[in-house]
């Protein structure tokens, strides 16, 4: 009952940590810039209990939030589980009560109707709250200093969508948070709820619409004037779920759509643009010039999620799952076609930007690169399972230049976050922070690189005495934007 099955997602570097950590002053090689004052938050799946059904997908692990506190050249680390309803019920029971990912039909009857979220996908700070997010459930509020969980939040009852994206966008000019929930009326429902939340954390705009088919809508784009919904056929089906198959699957027969809505528009203003089948998930940035609207995402020829299998039974094709950052363009006032321009030869996913330039024309993008032509020492590091990132790439959209950091043959990287050198530094002038998985030592390091000089390698390596298994997303928050620090935090 308390042992994890000996599967790749539960063993080696993926062994669940299940440990909450406080380290006041981590060892550092090199120099952490003394004026960096803030917290790098990140979150990832870390299952508390062995899987109820004998196996599970990586995306269904309980959210473990890490907070790296930077102050005066020193760095501390705090890790806490997001105490979701699921986490608390299972801790109480001493075993897993919730079964498969986004599938309630194989849960213990005692948890029927409970929120199934794991809060494992992103941690976003807005209006004084740290929000731990999973796209199948409402935001879970945590204290930004103590990481104490306050509970799920429905915006004083105004959030009626059952779901809330893990990729809301913060408007650097207005302080608004732009968000949506898909399958907002339950698993595999086609409904999308779109929300604008003001800088004080109040929902000030809402509209509902239906997507062309029920599917996974992991990320979206926001420009100064429009909001963009890429619809890619990672379809969902209640029939699949009831049959005990994965609720989501890849349907290569379906077209791809881009929904474009004015930011304060309602369903009647929504336009659908259309193209043939392709795969996309994360968004680097989006912007508009009048009615011409652009969104930059990695695009692959086919499905990148082997655990959401092809609905026809076709095998997963890793070669066709390689993604390249591509600019989509549409004209809100024009016809329904979509133009595409590939922006790089680098294959990768997990795009980031200098978030001060979100929603507008921008120059600097960063991407996690999977480059199998680089050396990998399988003898020392073990075989690769799942997501693998061995380089960080900087794309200068103005010059087309690429600057690349390679992490070496016994390591891989997790998604970085950009930290501006100062509040008013020019775009791209700052740092990237990223976790490095040291497979040979079963340990993690947090690296700080100069975002303009990635190929020179880290300015500082913050040494962890433990490993943090692959997480999903995280964000830097400057101390001046946080609430006052409580005395003992
Ligand atoms: C993604 C990740 C998720 C999820 C749905 O990267 C999509 C895509 C970590 O959880 O539930
Ligand atoms: Fe994501």
């Amino acid at each position: 009952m308390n042992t994890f099955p000996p599967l790749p997602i539960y063993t080696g570097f993926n062994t669940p940590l299940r440990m909450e950590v406080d380290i006041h002053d981590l060892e550092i090689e090199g120099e952490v810039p003394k004026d960096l004052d803030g917290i790098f938050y990140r979150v990832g799946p870390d299952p508390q209990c062995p899987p109820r059904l004998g196996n599970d997908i990586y995306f269904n692990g309980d959210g473990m939030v890490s907070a790296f506190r930077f102050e005066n050249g020193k760095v501390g680390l705090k890790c806490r589980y997001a105490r979701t309803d699921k986490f608390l019920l299972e801790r109480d029971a001493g075993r897993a009560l919730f079964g498969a990912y986004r599938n309630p039909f194989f849960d213990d009857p005692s948890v029927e109707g409970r929120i199934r979220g794991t809060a494992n996908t992103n941690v976003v700070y807005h209006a004084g709250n740290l929000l731990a997010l999973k796209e199948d459930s409402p935001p879970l509020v945590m204290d930004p200093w103590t990481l104490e969980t306050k509970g799920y939040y429905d915006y004083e009852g105004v959030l009626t969508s059952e779901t809330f994206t893990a990729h809301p966008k913060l408007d650097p000019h207005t302080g608004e948070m732009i968000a949506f929930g898909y399958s907002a009326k339950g698993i595999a429902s086609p409904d999308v709820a779109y929300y604008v939340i003001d800088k004080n954390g109040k929902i000030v705009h809402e509209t509902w619409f239906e997507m062309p088919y029920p599917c996974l809508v992991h990320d979206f784009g926001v420009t100064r004037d429009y909001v963009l919904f890429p619809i890619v056929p990672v379809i969902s089906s209640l029939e699949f779920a009831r049959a005990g198959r994965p609720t989501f699957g890849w349907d290569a027969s379906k077209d791809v759509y881009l929904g474009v809505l004015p930011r304060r528009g309602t369903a009647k203003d929504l336009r659908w643009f259309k193209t043939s089948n392709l795969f996309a998930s994360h968004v680097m940035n989006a912007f508009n010039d009048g009615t011409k609207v652009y969104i930059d995402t990695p695009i692959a020829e086919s499905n990148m999620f082997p655990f959401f299998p092809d609905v026809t039974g076709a095998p997963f094709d890793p070669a066709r799952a390689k993604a390249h950052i591509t600019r989509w363009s549409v004209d809100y006032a024009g016809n329904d076609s979509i133009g595409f321009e590939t922006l790089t030869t680098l294959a990768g996913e997990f795009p980031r930007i200098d978030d001060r330039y979100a929603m507008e024309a921008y120059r600097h993008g960063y991407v996690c690169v999977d480059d199998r032509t680089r050396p990998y020492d399988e003898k020392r590091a073990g075989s690769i399972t799942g997501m693998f990132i061995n380089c960080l790439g900087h794309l200068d959209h103005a010059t087309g230049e690429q600057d690349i950091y390679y992490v070496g043959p016994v390591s891989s990287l997790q998604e970085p976050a950009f930290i501006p050198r100062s509040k008013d530094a020019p775009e791209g002038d700052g740092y990237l922070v990223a976790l490095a998985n040291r497979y040979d030592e079963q340990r993690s390091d947090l690296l700080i690189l100069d975002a303009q000089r990635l190929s020179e390698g880290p300015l500082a390596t913050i040494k962890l005495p433990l490993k943090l298994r692959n997480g999903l997303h995280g964000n830097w928050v400057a101390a001046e934007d946080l609430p006052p620090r409580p005395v003992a935090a």
Side-chain angles (χ1 to χ4, degrees):
M1 186 69 90
N2 74 337
T3 50
F4 283 81
L7 301 167
I9 71 159
Y10 300 121
T11 50
F13 206 87
N14 289 332
T15 307
L17 184 64
R18 303 165 72 220
M19 197 192 287
E20 301 189 298
V21 173
D22 282 287
I23 304 175
H24 187 65
D25 188 4
L26 290 158
E27 284 182 76
I28 297 172
E29 272 169 21
E31 292 275 325
V32 171
K34 283 218 158 43
D35 56 354
L36 276 187
D37 189 3
I39 300 181
F40 170 51
Y41 298 100
R42 48 81 73 184
V43 64
D46 198 333
Q48 171 182 215
C49 302
R52 172 175 171 79
L53 306 173
N55 196 357
D56 204 348
I57 69 171
Y58 198 83
F59 283 3
N60 208 25
D62 298 291
M64 176 73 89
V65 176
S66 318
F68 288 93
R69 166 72 174 126
F70 286 67
E71 189 179 22
N72 286 325
K74 291 178 178 277
V75 183
L77 170 63
K78 187 185 284 291
C79 299
R80 292 289 185 277
Y81 268 118
R83 281 168 165 68
T84 58
D85 294 7
K86 171 185 184 292
F87 176 94
L88 294 170
L89 288 160
E90 293 184 339
R91 174 143 294 186
D92 208 39
R95 66 192 170 91
L97 302 171
F98 294 79
Y101 177 82
R102 314 277 285 274
N103 182 346
F105 299 114
F106 299 85
D107 290 352
D108 187 283
S110 68
V111 299
E112 195 183 335
R114 304 301 295 254
I115 298 177
R116 304 183 77 258
T118 51
N120 69 9
T121 312
N122 203 354
V123 256
V124 173
Y125 177 73
H126 186 246
N129 290 323
L130 187 67
L131 307 174
L133 299 169
K134 180 71 174 182
E135 64 197 58
D136 70 348
S137 39
L140 187 80
V141 174
M142 298 176 80
D143 181 281
W145 286 107
T146 65
L147 300 186
E148 181 201 341
T149 298
K150 310 260 179 75
Y152 280 114
Y153 187 50
D154 67 3
Y155 291 86
E156 316 295 337
V158 182
L159 179 75
T160 54
S161 170
E162 287 184 22
T163 63
F164 192 94
T165 181
H167 286 285
K169 301 289 180 271
L170 300 180
D171 187 322
H173 296 182
T174 65
E176 289 167 313
M177 181 164 71
I178 314 293
F180 71 100
Y182 73 91
S183 290
K185 294 183 183 170
I187 290 164
S189 73
D191 311 274
V192 177
Y194 165 66
Y195 294 102
V196 178
I197 302 164
D198 75 9
K199 64 178 192 301
N200 302 312
K202 185 167 180 262
I203 293 179
V204 292
H205 182 76
E206 170 179 1
T207 195
W208 288 65
F209 60 88
E210 287 192 11
M211 46 189 161
Y213 45 79
C215 63
L216 188 142
V217 188
H218 181 61
D219 198 352
F220 75 139
V222 181
T223 80
R224 294 246 65 87
D225 301 316
Y226 296 95
V227 50
L228 320 173
F229 299 93
I231 301 297
V232 167
V234 179
I235 60 144
S236 53
S237 155
L238 269 181
E239 215 177 294
F240 290 1
R242 280 203 191 88
R245 292 167 59 187
T247 302
F248 294 86
W250 174 248
D251 186 346
S253 75
K254 284 197 158 52
D255 286 330
V256 160
Y257 295 83
L258 185 69
V260 182
L261 179 72
R263 254 169 74 164
R264 292 296 179 105
T266 58
K268 68 179 184 336
D269 306 311
L270 177 68
R271 281 204 62 191
W272 289 110
F273 297 79
K274 189 171 163 181
T275 190
S276 50
N277 187 262
L278 58 78
F279 179 92
S281 177
H282 287 120
V283 173
M284 181 174 265
N285 202 2
F287 56 96
N288 72 288
D289 178 7
T291 59
K292 300 243 175 23
V293 186
Y294 304 90
I295 178 169
D296 297 346
T297 80
I299 287 186
E301 284 173 32
S302 186
N303 185 21
M304 289 186 82
F305 298 137
F307 37 80
F308 298 146
D310 190 292
V311 295
T312 66
F316 181 72
D317 182 347
R320 297 186 71 220
K322 289 224 153 197
H324 297 88
I325 304 288
T326 303
R327 180 159 295 172
W328 316 34
S329 54
V330 300
D331 184 349
Y332 185 73
N335 65 31
D336 72 352
S337 67
I338 306 177
F340 293 97
E341 180 196 358
T342 307
L343 301 181
T344 176
T345 54
L346 297 174
E349 239 283 349
F350 290 97
R352 295 307 302 255
I353 55 166
D354 177 341
D355 293 299
R356 297 171 304 161
Y357 288 78
M359 312 183 178
E360 62 185 272
Y362 72 111
R363 175 169 172 183
H364 299 286
Y366 308 93
V367 63
C368 293
V369 177
D370 174 348
D371 181 356
R372 303 289 169 110
T373 69
R374 305 269 186 173
Y376 184 75
D377 187 342
E378 192 163 345
K379 266 211 194 87
R380 283 168 64 209
S383 54
I384 296 168
T385 53
M387 183 175 93
F388 181 73
I389 300 159
N390 57 358
C391 298
L392 293 177
H394 167 207
L395 310 182
D396 183 331
H397 295 318
T399 64
E401 279 169 45
Q402 300 180 160
D403 178 31
I404 298 165
Y405 168 64
Y406 160 59
V407 73
V410 292
S411 302
S412 73
L413 291 155
Q414 301 191 25
E415 187 190 73
F418 179 87
I419 308 177
R421 194 174 307 275
S422 63
K423 284 248 143 148
D424 52 6
E427 184 193 350
D429 182 15
Y431 310 95
L432 290 188
V433 278
L435 278 166
N437 307 327
R438 304 302 191 193
Y439 294 125
D440 55 336
E441 298 180 47
Q442 292 288 305
R443 213 179 46 68
S444 300
D445 285 328
L446 183 68
L447 311 182
I448 304 184
L449 298 104
D450 184 324
Q452 300 281 342
R453 291 176 189 77
L454 296 184
S455 53
E456 291 179 11
L459 301 168
T461 299
I462 299 151
K463 316 282 292 179
L464 275 61
L466 49 90
K467 67 181 168 60
L468 296 177
R469 71 209 289 272
N470 271 326
L472 274 304
H473 304 289
N475 294 286
W476 170 260
V477 182
E480 66 187 276
D481 297 332
L482 289 168
R485 184 207 320 227
V487 175

